[in-house]
Amino acid sequence: MTTALAIHSGAPVRGPGRPWPAWPTAAPGAGAALDAVLHSANWAITSPYRDRLYERRFAQAFADYTGTAHCVPTDHGSSALVIALESLGLRYGDPVLVPALTWTATATAVFRAGLVPVLVDVDPATGCLDAAAVAAEPEAAAVIAVHWACTMADVPVLNAAATTLGAKVIEDAAQAHGARWRGRAAGSLGWAGCFSMQHSKVLTSGEGGAVVTDDGAAAGLMEELRADSRRYRDEPVRGELPLYETAETMGANYCLSEFAAALLCEQLSILDDQHEVRNANFLALERMLADVPGVRLPRRSPAQDRLSLYEVPLVFDPLPPGRTNAWAAEAMTAELGLRAYPPRVPLSRSPLLAPWRKSTLAPLAERFRALHADRRYPGAEYLAGHAVLLHHSAFLGTEEDMADIAAAAAKVARHPGGDA
Ligand SMILES: Cc1ncc(COP(=O)(O)O)c(C=O)c1O
């Protein structure tokens, strides 16, 4: 006997009146910090200098947080990727490896930097690039390793594979602030690490981004690349711009505003406490799902010694007969009163990645098309077709919430399919 699913008018696992945690959550000092900027004469790093910029304070705090020597804040995670790629000094049209399972910005940033993304498959157990995929691409001029959803790519082995090709690894850690691999922070393991602070991310200012690196020369170039060819003065003078025209390269304006920087300074102060709550709940869910046939979490490497949950993928395999993971996501949403959703399609068939729609990209688009004529992505397709994602905010509550998620997953997984 099966219990009727909530999408078939059965009783939901979680009734009304039990809301899920809200997102975002403002840190205790956020209001005061925003107010301080509002009543200062410094709303941007391009304002005449008065006091130490929040942007400089955030850069220091985030470099410390990731254990890196330099942090260059940006207006978006996409811009962080663009300036990291530009600072590599590659030639127009050089190929850059990008996993097929990621947000479109990882690949569009490559085009924006005048390069060509080469989409490669991911390991279906983790959703991340593996070393074999890199070794199979001897032409690669750079590799972008995305830490997907809540798992980390094995960057040390990717570094080794990329080094034999003479390429550098850029970590796209937009979904992994604070994750650690053998004690080292996501973003600090490759040559550079790029972060997004967009609204849905675990560290957010609505929009924002940053690159971290230990490479001082590259960090200087990145400063220019994101501030119209200008760098910070070592000793800013009151009343004058804190930037001066160094122009070693030609930049654009991707600067983070002082409001966003002030907010990030405060939000960073609560990030680790939030990680603790989310990660304890994740481990509880992992224990609960161990007894549920047909549902599992992605493989977690023991080397990843701290999780940073962005989206938690519940992998339904097998799916109920005749059902898709989009159906499972709808069924989970109805059981929980919480948005559950399938991953986006692999970039190889994403309507968002269409360089041929931009006339100025024509030569790169042509190269992109030619490079992708015969490629297949079984690993990315597997996850895109079997996973159901939950946003990290659902893990900011209690173990009771995890019991609801496990019960809903079990109910959906054991559905016999058909019209039942
Ligand atoms: C993996 C990944 N890379 C890059 C980005 C781009 O970041 P932003 O939206 O801040 O430009 C995102 C944002 O969703 C992302 O998830």
Side-chain angles (χ1 to χ4, degrees):
M1 154 106 186
T2 54
T3 322
L5 292 175
I7 40 164
H8 297 155
S9 309
V13 165
R14 188 170 169 119
R18 289 182 52 218
W20 291 89
W23 186 260
T25 45
L34 287 171
D35 211 46
V37 178
L38 187 64
H39 298 292
S40 77
N42 278 114
W43 288 13
I45 66 171
T46 45
S47 320
Y49 186 74
R50 292 249 180 146
D51 296 313
R52 188 162 181 238
L53 291 163
Y54 274 102
E55 199 256 10
R56 293 292 72 208
R57 294 184 219 188
F58 174 68
Q60 185 63 57
F62 201 60
D64 292 347
Y65 185 75
T66 53
T68 50
H70 306 276
C71 169
V72 180
T74 55
D75 56 356
H76 297 94
S78 313
S79 330
L81 286 163
V82 171
I83 64 168
L85 287 161
E86 287 179 335
S87 71
L88 283 173
L90 302 177
R91 286 161 312 169
Y92 177 76
D94 273 348
V96 176
L97 302 192
V98 170
L101 197 67
T102 179
W103 175 233
T104 184
T106 313
T108 54
V110 177
F111 283 117
R112 289 170 60 193
L115 305 164
V116 177
V118 178
L119 304 177
V120 286
D121 203 12
V122 297
D123 178 344
T126 63
C128 297
L129 270 190
D130 60 25
V134 173
E137 305 287 346
E139 307 288 312
V143 177
I144 303 184
V146 176
H147 301 300
W148 182 69
C150 66
T151 54
M152 281 181 83
D154 185 344
V155 179
V157 308
L158 295 177
N159 280 336
T163 302
T164 55
L165 310 179
K168 291 202 166 85
V169 174
I170 294 174
E171 292 174 74
D172 181 341
Q175 306 184 357
H177 319 60
R180 291 204 199 115
W181 188 272
R182 296 205 168 93
R184 288 179 61 193
S188 73
L189 296 142
W191 168 76
C194 299
F195 293 84
S196 162
M197 280 65 155
Q198 175 271 341
H199 171 96
S200 62
K201 306 302 189 297
V202 291
L203 177 65
T204 182
S205 49
E207 302 283 4
V211 188
V212 296
T213 184
D214 287 331
D215 184 332
L221 282 179
M222 288 186 220
E223 273 186 26
E224 288 194 10
L225 286 163
R226 72 91 166 80
D228 286 323
S229 319
R230 295 168 294 176
R231 297 190 194 197
Y232 293 105
R233 293 177 192 280
D234 287 337
E235 293 187 13
V237 178
R238 212 175 147 78
E240 289 181 22
L241 285 195
L243 301 172
Y244 70 118
E245 297 177 9
T246 37
E248 258 181 54
T249 181
M250 190 180 80
N253 184 358
Y254 303 130
C255 295
L256 185 71
S257 92
E258 279 293 277
F259 290 101
L263 191 50
L264 286 175
C265 287
E266 297 303 322
Q267 295 305 111
L268 188 57
S269 71
I270 60 168
L271 180 57
D272 282 350
D273 288 347
Q274 292 186 325
H275 277 317
E276 239 175 75
V277 175
R278 275 188 293 249
N279 293 351
N281 279 326
F282 177 92
L283 296 178
L285 179 65
E286 195 172 53
R287 286 191 298 275
M288 293 172 195
L289 288 178
D291 300 327
V292 178
V295 189
R296 58 180 174 76
L297 294 165
R299 190 180 68 217
R300 203 152 50 82
S301 166
Q304 185 176 347
D305 40 30
R306 182 158 78 174
L307 290 162
S308 173
L309 308 183
Y310 171 57
E311 292 168 319
V312 173
L314 304 177
V315 180
F316 286 80
D317 189 11
L319 281 157
R323 301 296 186 176
T324 62
N325 62 328
W327 171 85
E330 234 182 277
M332 288 289 289
T333 301
E335 294 302 335
L336 293 169
L338 170 74
R339 181 174 171 251
Y341 45 100
R344 293 179 185 88
V345 296
L347 286 184
S348 47
R349 56 189 178 89
S350 169
L352 305 179
L353 186 62
W356 38 85
R357 301 224 172 90
K358 222 171 188 177
S359 55
T360 50
L361 289 180
L364 299 178
E366 222 168 274
R367 181 116 205 263
F368 178 73
R369 245 199 239 277
L371 278 168
H372 291 85
D374 298 318
R375 288 174 178 264
R376 298 286 173 272
Y377 303 92
E381 291 290 358
Y382 173 80
L383 286 167
H386 286 82
V388 170
L389 305 177
L390 299 173
H391 187 246
H392 63 82
S393 53
F395 291 74
L396 280 171
T398 62
E399 210 169 300
E400 237 187 325
D401 296 337
M402 300 303 106
D404 286 346
I405 293 173
K411 192 174 165 189
V412 171
R414 69 171 175 261
H415 189 264
D419 296 328

